Structure formats: C-alpha cells, structure tokens
Amino acid sequence: MKILVTGGLGFIGSHTVVELQNKGFEVVIIDNLSNSSKDVLKGITAITGKKAIFEEMDLREKTKVQDFFAKHADIEGVIHFAASKAVGESVDKPLLYYENNLGVLVYMLQELTKQEKARFIFSSSCTVYGQADKMPITEDAPVKPAESPYGNTKQVGEEIIRDTCNVNPSLSAIALRYFNPIGAHPSVHIGELPIGVPQNLVPFITQTGVGLREQLSVFGNDNPTNDGTCIRDYIHVVDVAKAHVIALQRLLEKENKENYEVFNLGTGRGSSVLEVIHSFENVSGKKLKYTIADRRSGDVVQAYADTQKANAVLGWKAESSLDDAVKSAWDWEQKIRA
C-alpha cells in the first residue's frame, strides 16, 4: 500500500516514514529540501533497510502537484507535513507562510477530492489554542485568535480541511495537534536538524551543551508557574510518528464514523524550562550555561495536553519519558558534531 508523505525528510516527517516502513507501507516522499537534507534518506534506509521513493518538488507549483497525482494514481493515503514552521519568521514574512502553508494545502485537497476514496492526515499544532483558559487542554478548548501568522495557518488549515470534508464524503481526514516534539530516533541515524539558530528549546540546549552556542537564555522566571519559567508538553518524536501510523490505519480501516477528526498529541504532563534544563544535566552529566532574560511578549505561559481522546479512540499513548527524549536529542547532537 503506497502512502505519500510530504515534507518527509523533515524532523517529524522522517521519523514517520520510518514507522510507516516498519509497518510494511510503501512510502513516497516529497520534499523541496528548504529545511532538510537529502542525506536524511540515507538515515531512513539505515534504520529500515528499505528505500523510499523520493521526489524533490516545490508543492507551491500547482501543475507539479497535478502531474504528481496523475503519475501516482495508486496512492491510498497522504500525511501532510510540508509547511513553513518558524513562528518568528512568520511574523516577518506572513505572505510566504500563507502561500506555503495554505496554498499548498488547497492544491493537495483539490487533487484528493478527485479520487474515489482519499485519506488525509494533517500536521497541526497546539498553537491553535493560544493561551488556553484551563489545563490540561482538551480538543474542545476554544480556538483563540492566533498569536502569529504561523499559528493562523494551522487554524485556517484545519477549517479548510473540515469544510472540504463536509462536502466530500469520499475524503476522510484527521488533524493531529502536536504539542512539543523533541528527541531523535534511538539509532541516531535521524534527528532534528535546525538550520541556523534553533527556534526551539531542546536543540538550543543540546547545541549549548556541545559548545556550539555560548549560553541559553531562559525567557522569564517570574511567570505564574511552579518555578517561574514557561511550561510545555514535550513529547518524544518517535511517539508522535507512531501516532500518525495509527491514525492512518484508522482511516484505512474505516473505523471513524465522522470523516473529519481532531486529536491532541502530547504526554499529558507539562514540564518547565528549568525542568528540561535539569533533565539535560541529568542525562548528559554536564552543567548547562544559561541566564535568565526578560519574558518574551506573546509567549504562552503554559500549555500541556489532555490526551484522553487519543488514548481512548486511537489506542495511542506516549511511551517515552522526558529524560528518554532529551537523552536521544543529546546523543544525536553529539553524533552530528563528532
């Protein structure tokens, strides 16, 4: 059975390709290499012993999307990761984000709605919730005005998919709202490869630990949390990848009565910035250089998931601890800097 993974050489995409291949799926990857490397293909093959079909393509070119689906008419499911994802960059370049994240989504759905039966999994985000009123955050929490153009593309993206499913019963879709994926494959053949200065906490920690960054800035220690630092739900990327395969199997086996569903992916536990730093120090045996800086405007104070829906409906649960995830990220960082 052939499955398309867009953005399949990226961080979460590559780990999902591995899990798909481990379950016997034939995988086709589309990636424009704007935020990834072709070398990731070697890492995937080293883990699974299987080669994925790879096409380098910019999905913003509508005719190429049309040509691709004409060529691969036997694709039975799509997992859509391809998108720009840096919050700060989206503020500076909103039109780039709306074109890349929403235009491409529309082109994909236009092709899928031509098929007799189509299954689609969307890479969404907990950014759709903003600063939620209650913790943990359930899928029924109000979707508040987005804090950034990036967050808005996830909100609007979900609306586009829902509206399309409403009028196309042949299309079945699941949106997976990730909290904070971290870590690397235990084989350390693939992991996170941020280009330039990392935008996320854990790769900045590991780059500081290995000496690539002078020190880490902790933005605020006076927040209304247990230690004053912001709280997030950090989940191992392999757990996230496995959830995609389970969601795909749900669509393929027609287990969902509704043709559009939404699930949170998290651990159900919030960890503060200082707790993540202490986790790194614990698994690495190194003291991390960090300083306390002013709060950043727009930062959500805390966000962690209620995962009961995914646990009950998908039969999925995050298996790895924070220490497990941080250690895998540290192992990966040491390998790529060796």
Side-chain angles (χ1 to χ4, degrees):
M1 186 174 290
K2 188 183 289 187
I3 305 300
L4 169 63
V5 180
T6 70
L9 297 186
F11 177 42
I12 306 173
S14 60
H15 287 81
T16 301
V17 170
V18 165
E19 297 304 321
L20 286 166
Q21 290 185 331
N22 284 341
K23 289 293 185 181
F25 290 100
E26 181 182 2
V27 180
V28 182
I29 296 171
I30 290 179
D31 203 299
N32 67 359
L33 304 179
S34 63
N35 195 35
S36 57
S37 166
K38 205 170 181 179
D39 289 341
V40 176
L41 278 171
K42 298 175 184 176
I44 292 170
T45 303
I47 297 168
T48 66
K50 301 174 184 176
K51 288 188 176 181
I53 302 167
F54 172 65
E55 295 210 18
E56 184 177 347
M57 186 188 307
D58 189 335
L59 291 167
R60 290 176 295 182
E61 298 183 44
K62 184 175 182 178
T63 55
K64 288 190 175 181
V65 177
Q66 294 170 331
D67 291 345
F68 174 85
F69 278 96
K71 177 182 175 183
H72 295 277
D74 56 342
I75 283 176
E76 298 197 43
V78 176
I79 304 180
H80 183 51
F81 294 104
S84 300
K85 62 176 185 177
V87 171
E89 183 186 51
S90 77
V91 175
D92 296 331
K93 302 176 180 178
L95 292 180
L96 170 67
Y97 273 67
Y98 289 123
E99 178 190 32
N100 200 29
N101 294 8
L102 298 181
V104 168
L105 174 62
V106 169
Y107 298 158
M108 298 291 295
L109 292 174
Q110 284 174 335
E111 295 308 305
L112 290 176
T113 53
K114 296 175 184 176
Q115 297 181 359
E116 185 176 333
K117 183 68 180 175
R119 299 94 170 177
F120 187 75
I121 296 175
F122 180 58
S123 170
S124 192
S125 167
C126 65
T127 57
V128 301
Y129 299 117
Q131 179 58 71
D133 298 322
K134 297 179 180 179
M135 294 293 139
I137 303 170
T138 71
E139 289 84 353
D140 295 327
V143 173
K144 296 188 175 182
E147 300 283 346
S148 67
Y150 164 74
N152 199 32
T153 65
K154 292 304 180 184
Q155 291 181 356
V156 176
E158 287 191 12
E159 292 170 1
I160 290 170
I161 298 165
R162 183 197 63 214
D163 291 345
T164 305
C165 286
N166 282 343
V167 294
N168 288 276
S170 63
L171 174 64
S172 295
I174 291 176
L176 297 175
R177 294 172 175 169
Y178 321 146
F179 278 67
N180 294 73
I182 62 171
H185 195 271
S187 68
V188 294
H189 285 303
I190 57 174
E192 192 167 7
L193 282 168
I195 295 174
V197 179
Q199 300 294 310
N200 299 322
L201 175 62
V202 170
F204 207 110
I205 285 176
T206 58
Q207 288 190 9
T208 304
V210 84
L212 190 63
R213 307 288 164 195
E214 184 178 346
Q215 66 179 11
L216 170 76
S217 292
V218 176
F219 296 105
N221 65 349
D222 58 349
N223 291 281
T225 62
N226 58 330
D227 60 20
T229 63
C230 291
I231 289 174
R232 298 290 184 271
D233 189 337
Y234 297 95
I235 178 172
H236 200 302
V237 65
V238 173
D239 284 330
V240 173
K242 288 178 178 178
H244 286 77
V245 180
I246 293 169
L248 176 66
Q249 290 171 327
R250 177 173 175 80
L251 296 180
L252 291 170
E253 294 166 9
K254 302 178 183 177
E255 292 183 4
N256 55 324
K257 295 179 181 178
E258 301 175 8
N259 68 333
Y260 176 66
E261 296 177 294
V262 173
F263 296 95
N264 285 339
L265 296 186
T267 65
R269 178 185 181 275
S271 299
S272 72
V273 174
L274 288 182
E275 285 176 326
V276 179
I277 289 173
H278 296 328
S279 173
F280 170 79
E281 292 177 333
N282 178 51
V283 301
S284 69
K286 296 173 69 73
K287 291 295 291 182
L288 192 75
K289 295 179 181 178
Y290 69 91
T291 185
I292 303 298
D294 292 336
R295 289 196 210 180
R296 291 183 298 192
S297 63
D299 262 356
V300 171
V301 173
Q302 60 177 335
Y304 56 95
D306 183 315
T307 63
Q308 291 184 75
K309 184 179 178 183
N311 300 160
V313 178
L314 295 179
W316 167 91
K317 187 175 183 179
E319 298 173 351
S320 298
S321 69
L322 176 64
D323 281 357
D324 292 336
V326 171
K327 184 180 186 304
S328 68
W330 177 234
D331 291 343
W332 166 251
E333 188 71 55
Q334 291 178 98
K335 178 192 175 183
I336 61 177
R337 306 300 171 191

